Amino acid sequence: MFITFEGGEGSGKSTQIRRLAERLRKAGRDIVMTREPGGTPEAEAVRTLLVSGDVARWTANSEALLNYAAREQHVVQVVRPALAAARTVLCDRFMDSTRAYQGYAGGCDLGLIDALERAIVGPTRPDLTLVFDLDPAIGLSRARSRGDAVSEDRYERKGLAFHRKLREGFLDILRRDPKRCRLVDASLSVEEVERSVWDIVSGML
Ligand code: TMP
């Protein structure tokens, strides 16, 4: 079982992935918790290039290619071996983040993203994707007040218009693939969100 967590900044998905991992471990599942861009030393090195520095340092196409270089390492070295060993993989962001951030919000050619997705993700598509939906004005202020790793704030600095397009992008992904993607209302309390995540996941198991 491969479950991915997607959404804009400050949507609380990192807290929820930890809570879900805890619940599933208690239920006896063997869990691999990982993230993108990252999850291997090489992919984490690429992450540093993407999440820090000047806000306009990369073109959207370069960002898509860098994310996919990191994803190739992560899928081959971590995700596929874990799934082959019948482990449950919980991943904080995956292919939909590239489509939403670089494609819908960044303007990268969606044809390039389709091709990369086919070549690199291939059959390793998530069984379930939870899309954490939140007004970006609230998400950005939450992320800032949390003081998230300030060295990793390159996307937070992209401005509200970018984050509005990003939200619409995630909602469009959800509309196009309703069997795989489920909406989570991230404006609710941490406990309420945890409950709705658990309802979705336990229903699937
Ligand atoms: P995080 O907020 O989950 O730590 O992710 C790091 C940043 O990377 C976040 O701002 C979203 C961005 N990102 C992309 O732009 N494209 C991608 O494909 C991925 C996986 C993340």
Side-chain angles (χ1 to χ4, degrees), residues 9 13 36-37 47 51 67 71 92-94 97-98 101-102 152 155:
E9 311 293 323
K13 64 187 170 42
E36 288 207 349
R47 177 188 178 94
V51 297
N67 272 295
R71 184 158 302 132
D92 192 342
R93 298 195 183 281
F94 193 58
S97 278
T98 309
Y101 276 81
Q102 281 67 55
E152 293 209 341
Y155 287 95

Side-chain angles (χ1 to χ4, degrees), residues 131-181:
V131 178
F132 285 64
D133 180 59
L134 182 64
D135 178 342
I138 299 173
L140 287 171
S141 80
R142 267 196 202 168
R144 285 194 198 107
S145 68
R146 266 193 329 226
D148 286 7
V150 219
S151 57
E152 293 209 341
D153 68 347
R154 189 172 149 261
Y155 287 95
E156 283 168 37
R157 285 186 268 120
K158 279 191 184 268
L160 200 52
F162 177 92
H163 291 278
R164 291 216 166 99
K165 282 191 256 175
L166 179 68
R167 184 188 199 186
E168 289 311 312
F170 277 122
L171 293 175
D172 200 52
I173 290 169
L174 194 123
R175 279 192 290 270
R176 284 166 186 271
D177 199 348
K179 273 185 76 179
R180 171 177 65 90
C181 301

